[in-house]
Amino acid sequence: MADHEEVKKKKGTSIVICGYPLSIFFIVVNEFCERFSYYGMRAVLVLYFKYFLRWDDDLATSIYHAFVALCYLTPILGAIVADSWLGKFKTIIYLSIVYALGQVVMAISAIHDLTDYDWNGTPDNMTLHVALSMVGLVLIALGTGGIKPCVAAFGGDQFQDHQERQRSTFFSVFYLCINAGSLLSTIITPILRAQECGIHTQQKCYSLAFGVPAALMVVALVVFIAGSGMYHKAEPQGNILLDVCKCIGFAIKNRFRHRGKEFPKRTHWMDWADEKYEKLLIAQIKMVLKVLFLYIPLPMFWTLFDQKGSRWTFQATTMDGNFGLLVLQPDQMQTVNPILILTLVPIMDSVVYPLIRKCGLNFTPLKRMTVGMFLAAMAFVAAALVQIEIDKTLPVFPSGVQSQLKTINLGRDPMTLTLSQHTVQLAPGQASDYFTFDEDFVIVSVDNTSISQNLTLAKGKRQSVILPSNNTQEWPMTEDLTAKPEQGANAIRTVFTIESGGESCKYSREFGFGSSYTLIIPSSFTFGPDCAASIGVAEDIKPNSVHMALQIPQYFLITAGEVVFSVTGLEFSYSQAPSNMKAVLQAGWLFTVAIGNFIVLIVAELAQIPEQWAEYVLFASLLVAVCVIFSIMAHFYTYMDPAEIEAQFRKKDDDHEVRAEKKERKDSRRSQRSSLEMTEGTGSDPKENRM
């Protein structure tokens, strides 16, 4: 009776509604909130690195991809812990707590008032913020990666054997929740980031952008715990991945021990494990290794794919996000990916693939994956073309050994200036373009006068010299921007302020994304209906003129590549994996994602390519080369039927058992006959024996 109650407790008491256990509702809601939390935080992460922590593009890209790589390495650890020690339920609970704690730490790290002692809007102890963010990211990677292999499998455990249709529907809804959480979070968190918040100074609200995902992760944990009494909680059965590693290790070690010529060769190096392990397990590992060999070129696809959250987001900060009724933040362009996924997956399955089959083409899974890799390469070619157009609009800033100077006429009269070999005529309230100088100083003189000044220039800087109405007065110099305004914002500067009793002059003008202007109010300014017309505008940095819509083709290509590569790759891996080793191939697949992100990290830190478009072309070229290699490997690959191979080995085992049983019965009968013959040979009387 006690055993029966214990089993009932483990199976839970979930209510069934329309054929579905109520417990899966808690799992689906948990997955939606968790994916919202992860993708929401990740959407603004690279901009947080650049604009809050003040890292350059290469370092921000490297740390971003190191974090993503860690998120795809930890699922292996989570699977081992769940299958060998804690079970799926406890693993999800414990690692979700770690996950939520990491999100909270990230939100705290983004509070600029935490160390803004002088109230100037900039943290004074950046080391503390960096340390908190790194701790937070490590905890998040452990949490999200650790529960990744557990949640979907735990949901599948809630169904009984006769609920195959309901289980299939659950996985479809589960995948929909992943994309829904991703889509909503990449729309909402950039909006939260764009808000301004703070106690002493108002700055971009990264703490809110991280705080909302943290709150959603807490909600995910609470919802999951709320359904605890309804879950079927399977006991840990051991991890097949560990058994595979042990078997491979024994085969390598045994082969090394018998490396002499006196030992006969074996058909496959894994056959050296048959002294200790079953032939069926060895055959299953051979099938897995055959697929894993095909995985070798795959990381390069993920190298390109995951840059949509780093390099492509940086690219969007130099573009115009005004779509008329809608103004997109740079990090919101990532929403194009989940939108296209939800659109392209049914189109591919219902239209494209059937049409290809009707045309008589054998579009095998490996051929699909090859096409997906090529599409991803073309996406980076498109990104390179967009970058070339952006570069045409970017200003030329001074190098470290150069200086740039601009002049502004605040006088009432026109004037002609001479700056070394340059001559410029300025009307009242007008500014010149920037002039580039290699010298440490420049003599600026006013023509037709004896007025001149020797101005000291700052290397690697842009400066403006202001000429007042009385040229004999001091000529003030200001330091100008030497980079595009951050996050695609505007930089507007007034030279001085007008105060005149109760009179006022209303001036309004729309300024483009990423622009910098100097508003010039000349000394001849007078109040009146047309007062704004006398205010001059000097364009220091041109606005972003390349529209974000030009990124849509590259997003379309990379998403189409993802659909035919990733979805097909998972399907191919599942079909080629033995029944008990699908998790091993899943771990191998996630490992390729991690390696791909490490490749980005290495290239970003070591290549140091000065032109961004050239880096895009480099990645596209590498993927095309890998695509060719993969197509050759795929050509020589022979598709397997794991179930048939396993059945053959099981049949051999059964035949062996039958033969062994027959031999045992035969030996038994022979033994009985021998015993009888020995009895008859003694000539004893049975009656005497009974006496």
Side-chain angles (χ1 to χ4, degrees):
M1 178 66 75
D3 292 342
H4 175 73
E5 291 178 353
E6 181 67 22
V7 170
K8 184 177 180 181
K9 180 180 178 181
K10 289 176 183 176
K11 286 190 175 181
T13 57
S14 181
I15 302 171
V16 177
I17 300 178
C18 298
Y20 295 88
L22 182 60
S23 57
I24 66 168
F25 167 79
F26 297 93
I27 298 172
V28 167
V29 173
N30 165 270
E31 182 65 12
F32 171 82
C33 294
E34 187 275 326
R35 289 292 86 185
F36 185 105
S37 177
Y38 174 73
Y39 283 110
M41 178 276 304
R42 183 172 145 176
V44 301
L45 184 60
V46 73
L47 297 184
Y48 166 76
F49 288 156
K50 181 174 181 179
Y51 298 122
F52 188 93
L53 298 183
R54 300 292 171 178
W55 291 347
D56 61 34
D57 287 7
D58 288 339
L59 180 58
T61 299
S62 298
I63 300 301
Y64 173 87
H65 287 283
F67 165 70
V68 175
L70 188 59
C71 289
Y72 284 96
L73 283 176
T74 49
I76 300 174
L77 177 64
I80 293 174
V81 170
D83 292 342
S84 305
W85 181 26
L86 294 178
K88 298 184 188 72
F89 176 74
K90 290 183 179 178
T91 300
I92 294 171
I93 292 290
Y94 295 155
L95 290 182
S96 292
I97 294 173
V98 173
Y99 192 169
L101 182 61
Q103 290 281 32
V104 171
V105 172
M106 277 299 297
I108 294 173
S109 76
I111 301 176
H112 67 273
D113 287 311
L114 192 65
T115 61
D116 185 13
Y117 307 124
D118 52 7
W119 298 1
N120 66 349
T122 302
D124 297 310
N125 186 359
M126 195 62 77
T127 303
L128 176 62
H129 292 273
V130 171
L132 286 173
S133 62
M134 293 303 100
V135 170
L137 290 177
V138 170
L139 293 177
I140 291 170
L142 287 173
T144 187
I147 68 175
K148 190 185 294 290
C150 301
V151 179
F154 186 71
D157 290 345
Q158 307 311 305
F159 296 90
Q160 298 180 15
D161 294 339
H162 67 277
Q163 294 178 303
E164 285 294 330
R165 182 181 60 82
Q166 290 89 339
R167 182 186 285 113
S168 177
T169 303
F170 161 74
F171 283 119
S172 298
V173 174
F174 189 84
Y175 184 74
L176 179 64
C177 286
I178 292 174
N179 284 281
S182 169
L183 175 61
L184 289 177
S185 64
T186 48
I187 292 174
I188 294 173
T189 52
I191 296 175
L192 300 177
R193 173 195 61 79
Q195 307 304 308
E196 293 190 347
C197 61
I199 300 174
H200 307 298
T201 58
Q202 299 291 304
Q203 300 294 329
K204 295 296 182 183
C205 206
Y206 287 96
S207 56
L208 181 62
F210 290 143
V212 170
L216 262 293
M217 190 58 224
V218 173
V219 171
L221 178 60
V222 171
V223 169
F224 187 76
I225 293 175
S228 176
M230 304 180 187
Y231 298 140
H232 165 59
K233 304 166 188 174
E235 289 294 319
Q237 300 296 321
N239 190 273
I240 189 63
L241 181 61
L242 293 177
D243 295 336
V244 170
C245 293
K246 290 177 182 178
C247 184
I248 293 175
F250 178 80
I252 294 173
K253 184 165 57 176
N254 198 30
R255 176 68 183 89
F256 183 76
R257 288 174 180 170
H258 301 82
R259 61 186 181 277
K261 293 182 179 180
E262 65 273 17
F263 299 104
K265 292 184 178 181
R266 302 190 183 182
T267 306
H268 192 281
W269 62 270
M270 274 303 304
D271 292 331
W272 289 96
D274 61 5
E275 283 90 340
K276 183 176 180 181
Y277 293 91
E278 296 178 354
K279 290 186 180 296
L280 175 60
L281 176 62
I282 295 172
Q284 290 170 330
I285 294 176
K286 288 179 183 178
M287 289 186 277
V288 168
L289 292 176
K290 188 177 179 181
V291 177
L292 289 179
F293 177 72
L294 278 179
Y295 281 5
I296 293 175
L298 302 191
M300 187 53 66
F301 174 87
W302 301 113
T303 296
L304 276 67
F305 178 79
D306 280 328
Q307 288 190 63
K308 61 182 173 44
S310 56
R311 293 298 201 200
W312 287 11
T313 300
F314 286 146
Q315 185 184 66
T317 62
T318 59
M319 303 178 77
D320 181 5
N322 190 349
F323 285 80
L325 297 177
L326 179 66
V327 177
L328 284 186
Q329 299 294 325
D331 34 1
Q332 283 182 315
M333 276 301 292
Q334 298 175 56
T335 59
V336 175
N337 176 250
I339 291 173
L340 287 175
I341 285 178
L342 296 175
T343 305
L344 289 178
V345 168
I347 291 176
M348 287 290 184
D349 290 338
S350 304
V351 179
V352 177
Y353 294 153
L355 186 61
I356 292 175
R357 283 194 294 270
K358 284 187 178 181
C359 293
L361 299 176
N362 184 21
F363 200 36
T364 62
L366 293 180
K367 289 180 180 178
R368 294 183 196 178
M369 294 174 68
T370 304
V371 171
M373 297 169 79
F374 181 76
L375 289 174
M378 291 304 98
F380 266 62
V381 172
L385 294 175
V386 171
Q387 189 63 47
I388 290 173
E389 291 301 311
I390 293 173
D391 291 345
K392 292 177 182 177
T393 67
L394 296 179
V396 178
F397 294 110
S399 65
V401 295
Q402 293 177 322
S403 304
Q404 290 183 342
L405 183 68
K406 177 180 71 176
T407 57
I408 302 175
N409 179 12
L410 290 186
R412 295 176 177 272
D413 303 315
M415 64 176 64
T416 302
L417 303 176
T418 301
L419 301 82
S420 295
Q421 72 273 28
H422 304 288
T423 301
V424 59
Q425 293 182 340
L426 297 176
Q430 186 181 5
S432 69
D433 294 330
Y434 283 99
F435 298 105
T436 303
F437 300 96
D438 296 324
E439 299 81 12
D440 294 330
F441 62 90
V442 62
I443 298 176
V444 180
S445 58
V446 182
D447 288 4
N448 302 321
T449 69
S450 59
I451 301 172
S452 66
Q453 288 202 20
N454 191 354
L455 304 178
T456 302
L457 304 177
K459 293 296 184 182
K461 301 290 185 181
R462 275 186 163 190
Q463 295 171 289
S464 293
V465 56
I466 301 173
L467 285 74
S469 55
N470 184 356
N471 292 332
T472 59
Q473 295 178 349
E474 180 184 356
W475 295 359
M477 293 184 68
T478 62
E479 187 172 305
D480 301 343
L481 294 177
T482 53
K484 276 275 191 178
E486 294 181 353
Q487 306 179 55
N490 300 306
I492 304 171
R493 181 185 64 203
T494 55
V495 178
F496 53 82
T497 304
I498 299 175
E499 294 181 359
S500 180
E503 293 185 292
S504 64
C505 180
K506 184 177 180 180
Y507 181 86
S508 64
R509 176 178 175 139
E510 289 188 6
F511 298 95
F513 290 92
S515 59
S516 174
Y517 296 91
T518 299
L519 302 183
I520 304 169
I521 306 175
S523 57
S524 58
F525 172 85
T526 57
F527 291 98
D530 299 326
C531 61
S534 63
I535 299 177
V537 178
E539 189 178 65
D540 302 334
I541 298 176
K542 293 181 180 297
N544 300 341
S545 57
V546 179
H547 204 274
M548 277 188 198
L550 288 182
Q551 280 196 322
I552 294 177
Q554 65 199 57
Y555 271 100
F556 176 82
L557 288 169
I558 200 77
T559 306
E562 177 190 8
V563 170
V564 296
F565 176 87
S566 181
V567 176
T568 305
L570 289 172
E571 175 190 340
F572 166 78
S573 301
Y574 191 88
S575 68
Q576 297 296 289
S579 57
N580 63 335
M581 294 198 182
K582 300 186 187 300
V584 176
L585 283 185
Q586 177 70 11
W589 181 267
L590 295 175
F591 188 70
T592 66
V593 181
I595 296 300
N597 280 272
F598 278 128
I599 293 174
V600 183
L601 189 156
I602 293 169
V603 172
E605 287 299 316
L606 298 182
Q608 298 294 322
I609 300 174
E611 299 293 341
Q612 185 57 56
W613 67 265
E615 183 178 286
Y616 289 147
V617 171
L618 171 64
F619 280 119
S621 302
L622 290 173
L623 186 55
V624 169
V626 168
C627 184
V628 172
I629 295 172
F630 180 77
S631 64
I632 296 173
M633 296 169 63
H635 177 74
F636 291 100
Y637 181 83
T638 304
Y639 287 84
M640 304 176 294
D641 185 351
E644 182 179 341
I645 296 174
E646 289 175 326
Q648 291 175 357
F649 274 90
R650 290 193 176 98
K651 187 175 183 301
K652 288 180 181 179
D653 290 342
D654 292 342
D655 292 343
H656 178 75
E657 289 178 3
V658 170
R659 286 195 297 270
E661 186 176 345
K662 287 181 178 178
K663 184 177 182 300
E664 185 178 349
R665 287 200 299 267
K666 186 176 181 180
D667 292 344
S668 177
R669 287 196 298 269
R670 185 179 299 164
S671 176
Q672 290 175 357
R673 285 198 300 269
S674 299
S675 177
L676 181 60
E677 290 173 356
M678 289 177 63
T679 304
E680 292 175 350
T682 58
S684 59
D685 188 350
K687 293 182 179 180
E688 289 181 12
N689 290 334
R690 285 197 296 271
M691 293 293 290

